Amino acid sequence: AYAVPVLPDNTEEENAEFAQEYLRKLYNLTSSSGSNFRRRGNEMTEKLKEMQKFFGLQVTGTLDSSTLGVMKKSRCGVPDVAH
Amino acid sequence: YSTFPGALKWKKNSLTYRIENYTPDMPQADVEKAIEKAFAVWTKVTPLKIAQIYSGTADIMISFVTGVHGDNSPFDGPGGFLAHAFAPSDGIGGDTHFDEDETFTSGSAGYNLFLVAAHEFGHALGLGHSNDPGALMYPIYSYVNPGTFSLSQDDIQGIQYLYGPNSNAPNDPVPDAPKTPNACDPNLSLNAVTTLRGEMMFFKDRFFWRKSPYVANVEQYTITSFWPELPDNIDAAYESRERDLVYLFKGNQVWALFGYDIQQGYPQSIQKFGLPAGINKIDAALYDENAGKVLIFVGNKYYSYDEARRRIDKGYPKSIESSFPGIGGKVDAAVEDNGLMYFFSGSRMFEYNIMSKRVIRVLATNYFLGC
């Protein structure tokens, strides 16, 4: 068993959707349903790196368990001021 | 710390707030008190004066709402986002919304309203999020006792960058404000060190660093962001490989972690380790995998505890200096890893070879912290 915090048994897909929503709300990830799959993937990687850097996590650009663990912690929201 | 683009701040030092509605989670008087205390956190260290009004439009309008609530930033039900606040400006600027789907309290259950409000009012006054895990403006909620709460130096430097110090008490709070331990501080000393299923954890004050063997950098968290029930400033910790548990000690109590989950039935008394009655605190502990014993360090002596027999071995205590020559007689923390023992004393870490019974390297306490 790994040490990292035990996360609810969400499927990989659910975790990816959760992460996308988190990055969309907090890191201005543009909508995840865009046409260009590669561009979307690159943007997701960059936003993940931005979040990982802020929290002092290993900057991998991939959704590892440490990163998901931090995303699942209760926190302050950031209102959409632009709108 | 961070501010909003353009360092948005109020152009005046006298502000008003109005509580538009109340959460049913707490008595109304407790909500009032939590909100008032939360503003006081910031007015204490700035020239700002923030008064409550009971009708009309205040600079900072406070409300408890759920889901979609008209500002294009819907809340998300229990957990996740707890609240949000707008940066200083006319209109919606400064307004603060709490997610009514959360449970707000005056204590450690649910989410402490004072703590959440103090964070949000930091935004309402112009601060963004801080990446200092010890700062109030760190985005992740972690419970601290409101009775002993104080802004961190990071928070104070941020708000005073915007508004300057409190002219009545220009510098009082800053020297006392707690600073988050810096892993690269050459004088760093530690409270406790342990392994945890292949990771290493380094405890200091109300924080811990987590080092995974697969990852170059260490991650720093507040202890309560993982375990609200655990105290700060723990004394010692060790991992029992047999039981797959990590024991954490403070004073005459011990807690147990299974992975990152706190075991039921703890804390228990350290007397469960068969230590002599007069001992109310230990300095360090390590698990000697070679011998299958737990070494418990108290002052300049140590005990060997046999987990299987649940008792202290005969012939103990022994003096640390006699059994571990060269490590200086007293330790802050200790850990065994890959067949070597590491003893931490002040800013030095002694790497000790169990087989040859001697110190093989003297390193800095932060050697493992990736500086």
Side-chain angles (χ1 to χ4, degrees):
Chain A
Y2 282 102
V4 291
V6 179
L7 297 172
D9 291 339
N10 289 17
T11 66
E12 202 147 317
E13 190 181 330
E14 283 168 341
N15 286 334
E17 279 169 21
F18 173 85
Q20 272 180 13
E21 191 58 9
Y22 181 96
L23 294 172
R24 193 180 62 74
K25 286 181 177 174
L26 294 165
Y27 286 83
N28 303 317
L29 178 73
T30 52
S31 77
S32 49
S33 54
S35 54
N36 179 326
F37 180 79
R38 173 186 296 278
R39 188 167 60 78
R40 232 174 54 229
N42 289 344
E43 190 197 8
M44 178 80 173
T45 300
E46 289 316 306
K47 294 299 184 184
L48 267 174
K49 286 181 178 176
E50 186 183 337
M51 178 254 176
Q52 289 168 332
K53 184 168 185 295
F54 179 89
F55 284 106
L57 299 168
Q58 182 79 351
V59 179
T60 61
T62 58
L63 185 59
D64 52 48
S65 44
S66 282
T67 302
L68 193 61
V70 170
M71 285 180 169
K72 298 223 168 185
K73 286 190 175 294
S74 298
R75 57 160 291 156
C76 166
V78 174
D80 172 0
V81 183
H83 174 81
Chain B
Y1 66 86
S2 70
T3 58
F4 291 103
L8 288 174
K9 57 179 271 196
W10 296 99
K11 304 282 184 287
K12 52 188 178 179
N13 281 346
S14 291
L15 301 170
T16 57
Y17 72 92
R18 181 179 160 202
I19 303 173
E20 292 186 88
N21 69 338
Y22 291 82
T23 171
D25 302 343
M26 298 161 61
Q28 191 163 320
D30 290 359
V31 173
E32 295 270 354
K33 203 184 309 170
I35 297 293
E36 183 187 1
K37 256 186 80 174
F39 277 119
V41 157
W42 298 108
T43 55
K44 182 178 160 193
V45 294
T46 62
L48 295 172
K49 302 272 182 285
I50 307 176
Q52 184 173 12
I53 62 175
Y54 299 86
S55 63
T57 302
D59 298 306
I60 297 172
M61 298 292 270
I62 296 163
S63 55
F64 292 83
V65 293
T66 59
V68 174
H69 54 278
D71 64 6
N72 198 50
S73 303
F75 282 131
D76 53 358
F81 298 153
L82 307 179
H84 59 220
F86 289 81
S89 85
D90 297 335
I92 199 169
D95 291 3
T96 301
H97 303 155
F98 295 92
D99 183 353
E100 187 42 67
D101 280 332
E102 309 302 345
T103 301
F104 291 108
T105 71
S106 306
S108 60
Y111 297 100
N112 183 280
L113 180 60
F114 158 71
L115 294 172
V116 177
H119 174 100
E120 295 309 330
F121 297 156
H123 292 317
L125 297 175
L127 287 181
H129 282 136
S130 167
N131 63 2
D132 175 340
L136 171 64
M137 295 313 291
Y138 190 65
I140 290 176
Y141 175 86
S142 82
Y143 177 75
V144 293
N145 178 348
T148 56
F149 171 83
S150 66
L151 286 178
S152 76
Q153 287 212 8
D154 180 77
D155 298 309
I156 293 173
Q157 283 157 7
I159 202 72
Q160 292 189 345
Y161 165 74
L162 290 172
Y163 297 100
N166 180 333
S167 42
N168 302 325
N171 282 316
D172 280 1
V174 181
D176 303 344
K179 232 169 123 64
T180 301
N182 176 352
C184 296
D185 173 359
N187 299 312
L188 181 72
S189 63
L190 293 172
N191 296 138
V193 180
T194 181
T195 51
L196 167 56
R197 294 182 185 171
E199 293 188 346
M200 283 183 100
M201 300 168 79
F202 303 83
F203 290 86
K204 175 70 176 178
D205 302 343
R206 63 190 185 94
F207 301 88
F208 73 98
W209 286 281
R210 178 175 145 199
K211 170 111 183 63
S212 160
Y214 324 106
V215 164
N217 65 324
V218 287
E219 298 161 12
Q220 185 180 31
Y221 299 97
T222 56
I223 293 171
T224 55
S225 68
F226 274 79
W227 310 286
E229 314 88 325
L230 281 188
D232 300 337
N233 291 291
I234 66 166
D235 296 327
Y238 81 88
E239 178 179 24
S240 165
R241 306 286 160 77
E242 259 63 49
R243 299 181 184 156
D244 189 17
L245 288 175
V246 165
Y247 290 99
L248 303 165
F249 299 79
K250 178 159 187 180
N252 64 1
Q253 293 187 300
V254 60
W255 288 259
L257 295 182
F258 178 69
Y260 273 78
D261 296 324
I262 287 231
Q263 279 290 88
Q264 297 296 321
Y266 285 86
Q268 296 179 9
S269 163
I270 60 173
Q271 296 313 321
K272 73 179 252 157
F273 288 87
L275 291 165
I279 290 181
N280 291 310
K281 167 186 184 313
I282 69 172
D283 295 328
L286 68 76
Y287 185 83
D288 178 352
E289 195 153 14
N290 223 19
K293 303 285 186 183
V294 182
L295 303 187
I296 298 174
F297 298 83
V298 182
N300 59 7
K301 294 188 175 60
Y302 77 104
Y303 297 81
S304 168
Y305 174 72
D306 186 312
E307 278 200 330
R309 297 200 187 92
R310 296 175 187 263
R311 67 168 195 231
I312 296 290
D313 290 323
K314 288 193 177 3
Y316 288 87
K318 290 182 179 174
S319 96
I320 294 173
E321 190 52 36
S322 64
S323 302
F324 303 98
I327 70 167
K330 189 179 177 320
V331 291
D332 298 332
V335 67
E336 193 250 13
D337 192 43
N338 288 328
L340 292 170
M341 287 183 182
Y342 296 92
F343 296 102
F344 298 79
S345 179
S347 60
R348 292 190 300 174
M349 177 182 81
F350 298 89
E351 184 177 65
Y352 188 86
N353 185 310
I354 308 164
M355 309 317 279
S356 61
K357 285 190 167 302
R358 61 188 183 81
V359 173
I360 45 180
R361 287 194 294 175
V362 180
L363 302 158
T365 282
N366 59 12
Y367 173 77
F368 287 115
L369 296 181
C371 289

